[in-house]
Amino acid sequence: MAEWLSLAEAIAAHVRDGDTVAMEGFTHLIPFAAGHEIIRQKRRNLALIRMTPDLIYDQLIGAGCARKLTFSWGGNPGVGSLHRFRDAVEHDWPAPLELEERSHSDLANAYVAGASNLPFAVLRGYSGSDLPRVNERIRSVTCPFTGEVLAATPAVRPDVTVIHAQKADEKGNVLLWGVLGVQKEAVLAAQRAIVTVEERVRTLDAPPNACVLPSWTVTAVCEVPRGATPSYAHGYYERDNAFYRAWDGISRERERFRAWTEEHIVHTRDFNEYLRVQNDPGIQVAYR
Amino acid sequence: MAEWLSLAEAIAAHVRDGDTVAMEGFTHLIPFAAGHEIIRQKRRNLALIRMTPDLIYDQLIGAGCARKLTFSWGGNPGVGSLHRFRDAVEHDWPAPLELEERSHSDLANAYVAGASNLPFAVLRGYSGSDLPRVNERIRSVTCPFTGEVLAATPAVRPDVTVIHAQKADEKGNVLLWGVLGVQKEAVLAAQRAIVTVEERVRTLDAPPNACVLPSWTVTAVCEVPRGATPSYAHGYYERDNAFYRAWDGISRERERFRAWTEEHIVHTRDFNEYLRVQNDPGIQVAYR
Amino acid sequence: MSAAYTTDEMMTVAAARMLRNGAVCFVGIGLPSTAANLARLTHAPDAVLVYESGAIGAKPGVLPLSIGDGQLAETADTVVSTPEIFRYWLQGGRIDVGFLGAAQLDRFANLNTTVIGPYGKPKVRLPGAGGAPEISSSAKEVLIVVKQSKRTFVERLDFVTSAGFLTGGDARERARLPGKGPVAVITDLCILRPHVTTRELEVTSIHPGVDRGTIAGHTAWEVRFAESCDATAPPSAQELQVLRDLQARTAAAHGATDGAAAESA
Amino acid sequence: MSAAYTTDEMMTVAAARMLRNGAVCFVGIGLPSTAANLARLTHAPDAVLVYESGAIGAKPGVLPLSIGDGQLAETADTVVSTPEIFRYWLQGGRIDVGFLGAAQLDRFANLNTTVIGPYGKPKVRLPGAGGAPEISSSAKEVLIVVKQSKRTFVERLDFVTSAGFLTGGDARERARLPGKGPVAVITDLCILRPHVTTRELEVTSIHPGVDRGTIAGHTAWEVRFAESCDATAPPSAQELQVLRDLQARTAAAHGATDGAAAESA
């Protein structure tokens, strides 16, 4: 059964130095508040997994939390490069970053294998690509019926998965909708799962086949309104496209990135204070 | 794009003698009207696939439409045996029936492989079971990462899949909800798909992550109200449990089964006339 | 104090008691569903019932006649597809307890739901495997509910549909099945549990009014009795009342005879 | 008659024209999304846009800035999970046309979106594969939209992220890739198509105001011209107006510069 905790408590209890951590959300519902809290609590040597690293991992990598990144597309969507990611890969700053690089189809299948308690997944992929030459964990398997050779990829089994969702009820049952990404699989593939939500509600009132994660599949649930901004939460707020563009400037140089991170993350108490410093339009009046 | 047809037209055009046919619906939304029409049109030598054969395949087998059955559980749920299925297996009546027997988990995975255009699926299954000894198409595959040996099952790729759903819009986009079974996978695994629906509507008004089959994945769509009875259609009508129990008596002896089938299926023009003969409580006043 | 009760009621109550509160339970139709719902309505209100039709957290007010009744979907926390239920939930290792029935079982709790007689020319063609082979391997624990008779408790299965402890001893571990396997067989006469090393089933609790001779007379192998063999507590008045109320509501809703149970896994 | 237009507009219009009505199109962000939506708003109202975020049949009123914008979900026929979109829809063989961009491509339309320089110590670390390797193999046809320059149209890729025709000839068929591969590369200068036997790209249509020397000067290999090399029709007034209206609506909605395009696959 999920335990309702503050985000600080949840990260303190369930994300440990050296852990393999998946933070998912495919452009939608990216758990930025949780990412900030990991930086704030100075976790180190994390093996990060995420299909689209996005700004959330640019921040974690630049802040020195990561030793490894498993990913399939590392850019600032609609804008350009992830400068902290590139700086780590191209210049080992602030530390070398081991890459385990895959395709979207591969990583999506690898999460499915993890959720299904299988050691590997089979896909029709990578034909003619150089990726299997630089990642020895992309292998092949032969169909025992047709003799066809297909790509094989090891299952993803994170120590902890962190996602953001729209709602959870008192018991900790979680509901998300809209662009679902790979969140359900990432939670079910993990040993532990932390879910931040926009609202804590009495009942979910979910449609019959909605994406619901029962309380007993979740370790901790935390109420963090606007916890996905600058990503968006369908039905709650829009994507902060201006911030995605601004990030290009904030992150381009090491010093400006460091100053921004100190002011906005390290020296803020929590995500609500971040929203205040950031002058986020959604900050509740109560916190001003 | 799906074409709106009468059920008789759809079966005439898209179900051929000798076809591999999957009619799915896991206790819910079983396409009985379509099954009757296949009997009425006297299709022969069908290779039937279905996780839970149920009354619909008992009828098709007893009527002599089938040469083969791929299945995982063949009973009358909550009642007992499928007598026509048993008579075919135990006494070759009305014809020998080749069995390809699997487990639920296997067949569900095999449909997923079919929908995914993979030649086989991998599952953790059958350990210690005799089923692989009697079905040489249950094989094994070795994980290229861990060396673990897992079960492998060939993909299901029907010539035609037939399902029943709640609604379709003018364009032929199909919506189903409630117990979803393996219908989406069965449609996507097939060369052709026929969908009967409770209602033709202007717009589906589906929730964002509902189970929708876009029109371009469906070959023919047919409006057949109550087309799943004696199974049920969530939101429309309940399961006719009395008929499931009555079937035990109707189907137990060959002669009574034959007489029933003649009167109710062969000599009725369509499913509406069947409902009238059957004195179904849902038969529209207009047809009386 | 308890009212008079039938042996079926004793069996159902004994099975229900096995389910601990909060357990996630994969339920088949018939006796398992009755027992799991009785548990939910008595000592285990937070038991999570998962039906192979995809209903997770179903809380039906009456017993379903089929594994996919509408009420299961309506009362569930969520309803997922059949592939998902077998892939992410059962194979994924999320099921604490799987309930199974069988047409035949042997002393190592291996189960047959496929055929009586040879596979190619069966005397009786049974429904088949359903979900049982993977429930018996992937659920963390398995409970078997079945009426006891020499036809059912056989010396040798005609067909092994689902693995219990295979040939006994550590055979199951050697076959690397993920779950622990059967922890109890609950019958209308007694409760049997696997011996800690041999894994042969032995009687650990005898229902009221039943004697050892009756149990031996309903078992085709020479059944063993545990050293400390208990007497099963009779159904309490509350257990009986909740069970009978549930069956009365079910009969009113379905027009079903309460004993209607299929061997669906 | 058409108004003055930019080379980017010519490229987008030429790409849009390639999409036939009713085609099911797997779309990445940036130029592919612009072109596909322009097609939908002009000659191909029944084109089905599938975004890798899971939105099937999206009909956005403005261009999405990211692959998973809320409007894609709101206007879609259905939104499925990321695993499903790659498994059932792309790998399942349901995509008629995949649109791709690239940082580098070679004469056989192989694509690089991974690194410039050596993989282990790159000069420029690009975003990576995304969906491209499987789009390029599983979509029935692939359209590539990319600005032409010697930095982009290279003699030899630093890294092959996604297969075009590999080493040319029947190499792609021999590698048993399911889809036909690239059918056209649309640039700001011209349209190139693979030669029927060698599969080397050759210029088949030259945009207005561009000459062969300019194209050769923007290609690092010795580019070939088809025997019957056409002149691309300039954007029509209607095409331009629909495109500009779309971009104006997008700018108003996002405050985005219209050229903002990532190399997301």
Side-chain angles (χ1 to χ4, degrees):
Chain A
M1 294 289 285
E3 192 180 6
W4 278 97
L5 295 176
S6 74
L7 178 54
E9 291 168 336
I11 299 295
H14 300 301
V15 181
R16 298 155 199 166
D17 283 355
D19 270 356
T20 297
V21 181
M23 305 181 77
E24 283 292 349
F26 204 86
T27 79
H28 179 214
L29 293 174
I30 301 175
F32 272 96
H36 286 194
E37 190 57 31
I38 289 172
I39 293 172
R40 214 173 268 122
Q41 296 193 16
K42 297 190 168 36
R43 285 295 171 286
R44 288 297 176 265
N45 296 314
L46 301 179
L48 297 175
I49 308 175
R50 187 173 152 76
M51 292 181 65
T52 56
D54 199 272
L55 276 51
I56 185 173
Y57 276 12
D58 215 34
Q59 294 173 356
L60 283 158
I61 291 165
C65 302
R67 67 174 161 86
K68 182 178 174 185
L69 174 66
T70 301
F71 78 111
S72 43
W73 191 84
N76 181 342
V79 179
S81 286
L82 292 177
H83 298 294
R84 296 299 96 224
F85 159 69
R86 283 187 55 180
D87 203 11
V89 175
E90 295 169 13
H91 309 108
D92 292 347
W93 191 92
L97 183 68
E98 181 190 345
L99 293 190
E100 182 168 335
E101 188 163 2
R102 305 185 166 276
S103 70
H104 278 354
S105 181
D106 172 326
L107 257 184
N109 274 287
Y111 276 115
V112 169
S116 305
N117 190 26
L118 290 174
F120 73 111
V122 179
L123 66 151
R124 228 174 246 292
Y126 290 124
S127 306
S129 171
D130 282 343
L131 274 164
R133 293 190 204 165
V134 297
N135 182 347
E136 69 89 29
R137 279 157 58 78
I138 301 169
R139 297 185 186 165
S140 66
V141 69
T142 302
C143 173
F145 302 97
T146 63
E148 191 179 352
V149 177
L150 296 123
T153 182
V156 166
R157 302 301 303 255
D159 294 315
V160 57
T161 285
V162 184
I163 67 165
H164 187 74
Q166 278 107 333
K167 292 184 188 179
D169 67 16
E170 299 291 339
K171 290 186 172 175
N173 297 299
V174 171
L175 170 65
L176 51 161
W177 70 87
V179 170
L180 299 174
V182 72
Q183 280 100 307
K184 185 184 221 173
E185 288 77 13
V187 165
L188 295 180
Q191 298 300 309
R192 304 183 294 282
I194 299 173
V195 182
T196 58
V197 294
E198 288 299 320
E199 320 185 63
R200 176 174 177 159
V201 295
R202 188 168 296 273
T203 56
L204 292 181
D205 297 321
N209 306 114
C211 182
V212 170
L213 288 161
S215 173
W216 46 278
T217 63
V218 172
T219 316
V221 58
C222 318
E223 192 176 30
V224 187
R226 294 188 70 79
T229 194
S231 168
Y232 73 105
H234 208 126
Y236 290 81
Y237 48 89
E238 307 257 311
R239 192 168 186 271
D240 185 354
N241 289 320
F243 186 85
Y244 272 83
R245 281 194 301 277
W247 185 252
D248 195 67
I250 295 168
S251 63
R252 194 174 287 266
E253 302 301 331
R254 294 173 187 173
E255 275 320 303
R256 184 162 170 212
F257 164 77
R258 194 131 67 174
W260 184 92
T261 303
E262 289 287 317
E263 180 187 349
H264 289 79
I265 302 180
V266 177
H267 293 149
T268 55
R269 199 182 46 217
D270 58 19
F271 201 66
N272 256 307
E273 200 178 320
Y274 162 80
L275 293 175
R276 193 171 51 73
V277 172
Q278 183 65 19
N279 203 19
D280 180 272
I283 179 72
Q284 288 89 339
V285 175
Y287 284 91
R288 282 183 180 268
Chain B
M1 297 287 288
E3 191 181 8
W4 279 97
L5 294 176
S6 75
L7 178 55
E9 290 168 337
I11 299 296
H14 302 300
V15 181
R16 298 157 200 166
D17 283 356
D19 270 357
T20 297
V21 181
M23 306 182 76
E24 282 292 349
F26 203 88
T27 78
H28 178 215
L29 293 174
I30 302 174
F32 272 96
H36 285 193
E37 189 58 32
I38 289 172
I39 293 171
R40 213 173 268 124
Q41 295 194 15
K42 300 192 165 37
R43 286 294 171 287
R44 288 296 177 267
N45 296 314
L46 301 179
L48 297 175
I49 308 175
R50 187 173 152 77
M51 291 181 65
T52 55
D54 199 272
L55 275 51
I56 185 174
Y57 277 12
D58 214 34
Q59 294 173 355
L60 283 158
I61 292 165
C65 302
R67 67 175 160 85
K68 181 179 174 185
L69 174 67
T70 301
F71 77 110
S72 42
W73 192 83
N76 181 342
V79 179
S81 287
L82 293 177
H83 299 294
R84 296 297 99 224
F85 159 69
R86 283 186 56 180
D87 203 13
V89 175
E90 295 169 13
H91 308 108
D92 293 347
W93 192 93
L97 183 68
E98 183 190 344
L99 293 189
E100 182 168 335
E101 187 162 3
R102 305 185 166 277
S103 70
H104 277 354
S105 182
D106 172 325
L107 256 184
N109 274 286
Y111 276 116
V112 168
S116 305
N117 189 27
L118 291 173
F120 73 110
V122 178
L123 68 151
R124 231 175 243 294
Y126 290 123
S127 306
S129 172
D130 283 342
L131 273 164
R133 294 189 204 165
V134 297
N135 181 348
E136 69 87 32
R137 280 157 58 80
I138 300 168
R139 298 186 185 166
S140 67
V141 69
T142 302
C143 173
F145 303 97
T146 62
E148 191 179 350
V149 177
L150 296 123
T153 181
V156 166
R157 301 303 302 255
D159 294 313
V160 57
T161 285
V162 184
I163 67 165
H164 187 74
Q166 278 107 333
K167 290 184 190 181
D169 66 16
E170 299 292 339
K171 290 185 172 174
N173 297 301
V174 171
L175 170 65
L176 51 161
W177 70 85
V179 170
L180 298 174
V182 73
Q183 280 99 307
K184 185 184 220 174
E185 289 76 13
V187 165
L188 295 180
Q191 298 300 309
R192 303 182 294 283
I194 299 173
V195 183
T196 57
V197 295
E198 287 299 320
E199 321 185 63
R200 178 173 177 161
V201 295
R202 187 168 297 272
T203 58
L204 293 181
D205 297 322
N209 306 114
C211 183
V212 170
L213 288 161
S215 174
W216 46 278
T217 63
V218 172
T219 316
V221 56
C222 318
E223 192 175 32
V224 187
R226 295 187 70 80
T229 195
S231 169
Y232 73 106
H234 207 127
Y236 290 81
Y237 47 90
E238 307 257 312
R239 191 167 187 273
D240 185 354
N241 290 321
F243 186 85
Y244 272 83
R245 280 194 302 277
W247 185 253
D248 195 67
I250 294 168
S251 62
R252 194 174 286 266
E253 301 301 331
R254 293 173 187 172
E255 276 320 304
R256 186 166 167 207
F257 162 79
R258 194 131 66 173
W260 185 93
T261 304
E262 290 287 317
E263 179 186 351
H264 290 79
I265 303 180
V266 178
H267 293 150
T268 54
R269 200 183 44 220
D270 57 19
F271 201 66
N272 256 308
E273 201 178 320
Y274 162 79
L275 292 175
R276 191 170 54 73
V277 172
Q278 183 63 21
N279 204 18
D280 181 272
I283 180 70
Q284 289 89 339
V285 175
Y287 285 92
R288 279 182 182 271
Chain C
M1 258 313 297
S2 75
Y5 55 88
T6 67
T7 54
D8 272 9
E9 287 172 333
M10 180 71 254
M11 172 165 63
T12 304
V13 167
R17 287 173 186 160
M18 295 274 173
L19 197 64
R20 69 177 179 284
N21 196 20
V24 178
C25 181
F26 205 87
V27 188
I29 285 305
L31 289 172
S33 177
T34 309
N37 277 291
L38 177 58
R40 192 174 58 78
L41 296 171
T42 53
H43 67 282
D46 295 327
V48 177
L49 272 49
V50 177
Y51 285 81
E52 66 189 9
S53 58
I56 296 175
K59 295 166 272 294
V62 303
L63 296 172
L65 185 66
S66 87
I67 204 90
D69 271 18
Q71 231 212 359
L72 298 176
E74 277 155 19
T75 63
D77 292 327
T78 184
V79 182
V80 303
S81 71
T82 304
E84 183 178 323
I85 207 76
F86 282 101
R87 290 158 60 88
Y88 294 180
W89 301 86
L90 179 59
Q91 184 175 275
R94 302 245 162 219
I95 303 298
D96 296 319
V97 181
F99 263 114
L100 290 174
Q104 290 183 332
L105 92 175
D106 68 15
R107 70 180 75 207
F108 295 116
N110 302 298
L111 306 179
N112 175 17
T113 54
T114 302
V115 283
I116 306 294
Y119 184 81
K121 201 65 201 168
K123 206 158 66 179
V124 182
R125 174 64 232 197
L126 300 166
E134 285 77 29
I135 294 170
S136 72
S137 68
S138 284
K140 288 174 195 158
E141 297 184 349
V142 172
L143 294 174
I144 298 166
V145 190
V146 62
K147 286 202 199 193
Q148 196 157 353
S149 77
K150 280 194 164 166
R151 273 194 342 167
T152 304
F153 281 55
V154 298
E155 180 65 41
R156 201 177 184 304
L157 299 183
D158 289 341
F159 191 93
V160 180
T161 311
S162 308
F165 295 104
L166 302 169
T167 54
D170 62 353
R172 185 181 169 100
E173 285 75 9
R174 281 187 281 111
R176 302 167 65 101
L177 277 76
K180 274 204 297 189
V183 294
V185 178
I186 301 100
T187 81
D188 49 341
L189 303 178
C190 64
I191 298 169
L192 304 95
R193 293 180 180 273
H195 183 272
V196 65
T197 54
T198 67
R199 304 298 177 88
E200 181 176 328
L201 291 173
E202 51 181 31
V203 179
T204 58
S205 186
I206 299 178
H207 297 342
V210 177
D211 60 30
R212 293 187 175 208
T214 306
I215 293 171
H218 284 73
T219 311
W221 71 83
E222 201 172 316
V223 67
R224 290 167 193 273
F225 292 81
E227 272 184 44
S228 63
C229 187
D230 292 332
T232 312
S236 73
Q238 194 231 351
E239 285 168 331
L240 274 183
Q241 185 175 342
V242 173
L243 174 58
R244 289 171 182 176
D245 286 354
L246 177 61
Q247 290 178 322
R249 282 200 304 279
T250 301
H254 291 163
T257 55
D258 55 9
E263 300 97 308
S264 170
Chain D
M1 261 307 300
S2 77
Y5 56 87
T6 68
T7 55
D8 271 10
E9 286 173 333
M10 180 70 253
M11 173 166 61
T12 304
V13 166
R17 288 173 184 159
M18 296 274 174
L19 197 64
R20 70 175 179 286
N21 196 18
V24 178
C25 181
F26 205 85
V27 187
I29 285 306
L31 289 172
S33 176
T34 310
N37 278 291
L38 176 58
R40 192 175 57 79
L41 296 171
T42 53
H43 68 281
D46 294 327
V48 178
L49 273 51
V50 177
Y51 285 81
E52 66 189 12
S53 58
I56 296 175
K59 294 165 273 291
V62 303
L63 295 172
L65 185 68
S66 85
I67 203 90
D69 273 19
Q71 232 211 359
L72 297 177
E74 278 157 18
T75 62
D77 292 326
T78 184
V79 183
V80 303
S81 72
T82 305
E84 184 179 322
I85 206 77
F86 282 101
R87 291 159 59 89
Y88 293 180
W89 300 86
L90 178 59
Q91 183 175 275
R94 302 248 161 214
I95 304 298
D96 296 319
V97 181
F99 263 115
L100 291 174
Q104 291 183 331
L105 91 174
D106 68 16
R107 70 180 75 209
F108 295 117
N110 301 299
L111 306 178
N112 175 17
T113 54
T114 301
V115 285
I116 306 293
Y119 183 82
K121 201 66 197 166
K123 207 157 68 181
V124 182
R125 175 62 231 198
L126 299 167
E134 286 76 29
I135 295 170
S136 72
S137 68
S138 284
K140 288 176 194 154
E141 297 183 350
V142 172
L143 294 174
I144 298 165
V145 190
V146 63
K147 286 201 199 194
Q148 197 158 352
S149 78
K150 281 193 162 166
R151 276 195 340 168
T152 304
F153 280 56
V154 299
E155 180 64 40
R156 200 179 184 304
L157 298 183
D158 289 343
F159 190 93
V160 179
T161 311
S162 307
F165 295 104
L166 302 169
T167 54
D170 63 351
R172 185 180 169 99
E173 285 76 8
R174 279 188 281 110
R176 300 169 66 104
L177 278 76
K180 274 205 296 191
V183 293
V185 178
I186 301 101
T187 82
D188 48 344
L189 303 179
C190 63
I191 298 169
L192 305 95
R193 292 180 180 273
H195 182 273
V196 65
T197 55
T198 68
R199 304 298 176 90
E200 181 176 328
L201 291 173
E202 53 181 28
V203 179
T204 56
S205 186
I206 300 178
H207 298 342
V210 176
D211 62 27
R212 292 187 174 210
T214 307
I215 293 171
H218 283 73
T219 312
W221 72 81
E222 201 173 314
V223 68
R224 291 167 192 273
F225 292 81
E227 271 183 45
S228 62
C229 188
D230 293 332
T232 312
S236 71
Q238 193 232 350
E239 285 169 333
L240 274 182
Q241 187 178 337
V242 173
L243 174 59
R244 288 170 184 176
D245 286 354
L246 177 62
Q247 290 176 322
R249 283 201 304 278
T250 301
H254 291 163
T257 57
D258 53 10
E263 301 97 308
S264 168

